[in-house]
Amino acid sequence: MAHGVIICIGDELVSGKVVDENARWAAARLWPMGLDVKAMITVGDDPPAIKSALKQALDSADFVLVSGGLGATEDDITAQVAADVFALPLAESRRMVKNLRYFFQSMGKTPPEGIDRLTWLPQGAEVLSRASAGFKLTAPQGKPVYFMPGVPREMHHITEHHVIPQLVEQFQPDQIRKSGELLIFGLDELEVQKRLKGIAGELGIPSLNLGYYPRFPEVAVIFSLSGKQNQKADQDLAAVLKAAYRRLDGHVVAKGGQTLAQTTAHALADHNLTLALAESCTGGLIGHSLTEVAGSSSFFMRGYIVYSNQAKEELLGVSSQTLAEHGAVSHETAREMALGAASRAGTDLGLSVTGIAGPGGGSPEKPVGTVYFGLCHQEKVMTKGYLFSGSREQVKLQAAHTALDWLRRFTEDHAFLYSH
């Protein structure tokens, strides 16, 4: 099995001003090919640090991917450092000169000043792409080292279309790898682990590995396995995911890298259900989550942000008597909010959220984190209260996710509204 190291270069990365996207993306693309990444190294635009990282990687890895420092500015020094490490002179690459000329002519632009820096590469370097900087060197031991731009779009394209095919051809991994992801809401990480314990033995798949990744307020689980036959590996993965769904009992809210909002939005659209929202403590967070999904205008008709009692009365018709007797945070108010949203918008569903996000505003009877929900369908309304914990932001996130999950569950089984 081939092992690699990924080196990402840039002062903006080590200062924390920019989050590295390339190392994680590349590792995720290499893994299914049977190409493991054993280390990720981040260094600034410092020649000694880059040289040290390259030498360390060459001593321990079968292949190396380097990202960053291949632009036309003074701090783009990767080509020179690579030449030093490989004891090669810099030379003008005719291939790169031709590529740059073609690129700017096709764009109808004049090459900017200083762009010719990109044409000077370690002598004998293999140019990787016609459309961007990037080259390959081979160490004396036959280890390939790929130098690519730090711009994610360009680095991803070169990796996908040039680096991975070459690495697969050179190392010919004998294992096919498959992975799948499930997103769980409503169970904490320990409970998820408890429910999935022993699943590999139950299914007779010894290569199965599970990774748990909390993403508040959800938990992502990545299932990975390997095999020598593609069809068998696909069948094993499908069996694993089916068994996991059964064990997690309705708490799987998304799969394959999707979000809860995407799952909910697609379900509402598929069921031809229209929706109006009445949000108080979430301040529009639920509507924002749904409208992040393309095509949400097919089901999401209207959103009311009714933060004050006056807004609840004027926009949704909540009774002043209800507010006086039960308060804004109550079953009764949530019920009238949901009814008002659905009736005034003329939608199939009306969903309401009203609560105390904190840090102030709580009482012994209704502490911070108290949130009530209402869901209306055909003038029937279900309400329920929850007590969330955490910061103001965490309470709002939990409330928004709970609202989305109510809608998801309703689309899966309409009896949810009457039996919850």
Side-chain angles (χ1 to χ4, degrees):
M1 182 180 296
H3 298 276
V5 170
I6 300 175
I7 302 171
C8 293
I9 299 170
D11 286 342
E12 70 279 8
L13 301 179
V14 294
S15 68
K17 294 177 181 177
V18 174
V19 176
D20 170 48
E21 300 178 25
N22 290 334
R24 186 180 69 170
W25 180 89
R29 286 297 298 119
L30 291 166
W31 183 87
M33 305 297 154
L35 301 164
D36 281 346
V37 173
K38 63 185 302 183
M40 300 177 184
I41 304 173
T42 304
V43 295
D45 296 306
D46 176 58
I50 299 171
K51 289 179 183 179
S52 175
L54 269 171
K55 291 176 180 178
Q56 177 186 341
L58 287 168
D59 286 342
S60 62
D62 300 307
F63 63 89
V64 182
L65 275 60
V66 182
S67 167
L70 289 185
T73 59
E74 293 295 328
D75 61 349
D76 291 311
I77 56 176
T78 299
Q80 179 63 65
V81 173
D84 293 344
V85 170
F86 281 79
L88 296 169
L90 282 178
E92 188 174 56
S93 166
R94 292 183 180 179
R95 170 73 184 277
M96 187 60 77
V97 171
K98 184 178 179 180
N99 287 354
L100 283 173
R101 186 180 299 123
Y102 169 82
F103 176 77
F104 285 103
Q105 285 178 350
S106 67
M107 298 286 289
K109 296 181 178 180
T110 302
E113 185 177 349
I115 196 68
D116 58 338
R117 286 173 58 90
L118 295 177
T119 66
W120 288 84
L121 304 177
Q123 193 172 58
E126 175 190 335
V127 175
L128 293 173
S129 171
R130 188 177 186 180
S132 62
F135 59 91
K136 172 188 174 184
L137 293 172
T138 303
Q141 310 93 316
K143 299 179 179 181
V145 184
Y146 297 91
F147 297 88
M148 294 172 285
V151 178
R153 177 177 54 82
E154 297 179 9
M155 187 269 191
H156 297 180
H157 178 83
I158 293 175
T159 302
E160 192 76 47
H161 296 281
H162 301 279
V163 175
I164 289 178
Q166 290 187 15
L167 289 175
V168 169
E169 182 178 0
Q170 178 173 347
F171 295 106
Q172 298 182 345
D174 63 353
Q175 290 288 315
I176 296 165
R177 283 156 164 199
K178 299 289 181 178
S179 65
E181 178 180 328
L182 298 180
L183 195 63
I184 295 95
F185 177 67
L187 302 174
D188 62 29
E189 183 182 1
L190 290 176
E191 180 61 24
V192 173
Q193 290 187 48
K194 178 181 175 182
R195 294 194 182 198
L196 295 178
K197 185 177 180 180
I199 193 170
E202 174 191 309
L203 298 173
I205 305 175
S207 68
L208 178 64
N209 289 303
L210 278 66
Y212 299 89
Y213 306 93
R215 301 173 187 169
F216 186 88
E218 301 158 323
V219 177
V221 182
I222 296 180
F223 304 81
S224 56
L225 54 84
S226 58
K228 293 189 175 183
Q229 296 181 343
N230 191 59
Q231 185 176 2
K232 178 64 164 58
D234 282 335
Q235 291 172 348
D236 285 347
L237 181 60
V240 167
L241 296 179
K242 183 178 180 180
Y245 265 94
R246 184 176 65 251
R247 290 182 176 215
L248 294 167
D249 188 30
H251 290 280
V252 177
V253 298
K255 61 182 179 179
Q258 296 285 297
T259 65
L260 170 56
Q262 289 172 318
T263 299
T264 302
H266 295 154
L268 289 169
D270 290 345
H271 286 78
N272 296 313
L273 291 167
T274 54
L275 170 70
L277 295 172
E279 300 188 58
S280 183
C281 64
T282 48
L285 185 56
I286 305 165
H288 170 71
S289 298
L290 289 173
T291 54
E292 285 286 278
V293 183
S296 54
S297 60
S298 68
F299 65 85
F300 182 41
M301 299 295 103
R302 195 175 303 178
Y304 300 91
I305 302 175
V306 285
Y307 216 66
S308 68
N309 286 358
Q310 181 181 355
K312 292 177 178 66
E313 292 181 52
E314 292 178 355
L315 297 178
L316 298 175
V318 176
S319 163
S320 58
Q321 183 178 351
T322 296
L323 291 167
E325 293 181 0
H326 303 284
V329 181
S330 63
H331 284 285
E332 291 78 8
T333 296
R335 180 181 185 279
E336 292 186 25
M337 287 172 62
L339 273 168
S343 63
R344 299 195 175 202
T347 53
D348 300 311
L349 299 173
L351 188 142
S352 64
V353 183
T354 180
I356 306 166
S363 68
E365 295 78 21
K366 296 177 183 178
V368 168
T370 300
V371 182
Y372 286 89
F373 298 81
L375 180 58
C376 172
H377 178 244
Q378 296 178 350
E379 297 188 352
K380 295 183 175 66
V381 185
M382 181 189 81
T383 64
K384 186 175 180 181
Y386 292 77
L387 180 59
F388 301 125
S389 61
S391 66
R392 179 181 180 84
E393 179 185 10
Q394 290 174 325
V395 169
K396 291 175 68 175
L397 278 172
Q398 290 172 90
H401 276 67
T402 299
L404 292 171
D405 196 41
W406 271 34
L407 293 170
R408 176 191 70 86
R409 288 175 179 270
F410 179 77
T411 62
E412 292 181 356
D413 180 6
H414 285 207
F416 166 77
L417 182 60
Y418 314 113
S419 64
H420 189 75

